[in-house]
Amino acid sequence: MATLNVRQGPPIGTALVVVNKDPPPIVRLQGLERPVSSLAENVQKVMGAFYDVHKTLIARKGLHKGTIERFKEAKHLFRTECESLRQVLQSGYRHAVDFTSSCQRAPNDRHISAKRCQLSGKSVLRDLQEVNRVYDRDLQSFRTQEKDLKDQLTEKNKKGGQSRSSTLDSQQQQTPKDAHPELTVTTLFSALEDVRSSLWDILAFWENHAAFLTLIVNRQSNFPSPGDETKATVEIWIKYQAALLQASSSIAQSADAMTIDPAIVQTNGKTRRRNTYPQARADGGKLPLNDRRSYPAGADKANRSDEGLYSWWKKICRFFSHSK
């Protein structure tokens, strides 16, 4: 099994990750901006995938109610974890601001804020470790539903179970997911694994960063040297700040969107048009267009109109005869 050794690289906010494998060792540079941005994108994908699976489930007839309820519980758990993750990213942003300010201090004053940076950095690290632990646990638990979800959707599809979709949806051309609804489940778990990978990358960076801060406090390492080195460090950590803020906002929006359940318009049987006027002409176009008898259900209306006109004329004649 591979072991992961992390050590601080050049003090510009970039972690040097060394993965020992035989043979040969793999060395890769890992910063914070890319995994944080990827995390926000992957959370958005998970949000959309949860919606698609939920919509597919409630659109299938004959599914056990417990299946949907267990799925909704897992969806709620992920939304709760998104909120916890958003708070951790905000804490990371505050630490990034503090660390950037410390780097810009005069060399003789930097050690004053080093301890504070170390404490806040370790606090973020502990929160990230907890988020990763809870996420791995809940994902492993949710994995037990994957096969059941696929089997039920596949079984219903083979039986030709009609979906209770809206008339508009039924008129649209089917997508691969419509023909194979179990694909929505595959997409969901793939997106969940992508989130997991992003969390691991962020955790690896922060473990390395916290170790570097400890070295500074113990006077075994230093902040970036004044000049170009400090300038480069400040620039990259300002990018980290922007990435953390943007990811926090994006994840908050995704979490809010997950509170919305898909709505399915149910229709009983085929939709039928009302017998409204006008429809096809019953006379084949022989009578004038202004003659209502030429349309279905128009003759009765025309007769009622003629009877009313005759009654009105009769009353007028009776009035003049009495006036004489």
Side-chain angles (χ1 to χ4, degrees), residues 284-298:
K286 296 179 181 179
L287 295 178
L289 288 174
N290 59 357
D291 193 332
R292 296 174 66 93
R293 295 181 182 85
S294 62
Y295 296 95

Side-chain angles (χ1 to χ4, degrees), residues 37 88 109 115 133 138 150 165 167 173 208 260 268 317:
S37 300
V88 175
D109 297 335
K115 186 64 177 179
R133 185 190 68 81
D138 292 342
K150 287 182 178 179
S165 58
T167 305
Q173 186 177 3
N208 188 42
I260 302 174
N268 296 324
C317 292

Side-chain angles (χ1 to χ4, degrees), residues 27-137:
V27 180
R28 61 189 177 93
L29 289 175
Q30 179 67 38
L32 182 63
E33 185 178 10
R34 185 194 60 79
V36 166
S37 300
S38 297
L39 175 64
E41 294 173 1
N42 291 330
V43 169
Q44 285 184 341
K45 292 178 183 178
V46 168
M47 181 269 295
F50 262 117
Y51 184 91
D52 289 341
V53 175
H54 196 174
K55 181 178 179 180
T56 303
L57 287 175
I58 64 177
R60 311 303 291 183
K61 292 182 178 179
L63 282 180
H64 296 295
K65 185 177 180 181
T67 300
I68 298 181
E69 291 302 321
R70 288 192 299 272
F71 173 81
K72 290 174 67 175
E73 289 176 2
K75 180 180 176 182
H76 176 72
L77 277 178
F78 181 79
R79 181 181 178 276
T80 302
E81 289 165 8
C82 284
E83 177 59 27
S84 299
L85 181 57
R86 183 188 67 83
Q87 294 177 2
V88 175
L89 293 178
Q90 288 184 338
S91 297
Y93 166 76
R94 290 191 291 269
H95 170 81
V97 172
D98 193 16
F99 180 75
T100 302
S101 299
S102 297
C103 291
Q104 293 174 308
R105 287 177 177 270
N108 295 334
D109 297 335
R110 288 177 173 180
H111 192 73
I112 299 175
S113 59
K115 186 64 177 179
R116 185 177 66 250
C117 280
Q118 183 203 29
L119 292 176
S120 65
K122 282 189 172 182
S123 176
V124 174
L125 175 60
R126 286 192 298 269
D127 291 341
L128 281 171
Q129 290 170 337
E130 179 64 12
V131 165
N132 274 267
R133 185 190 68 81
V134 173
Y135 186 87
D136 288 348
R137 180 199 65 192

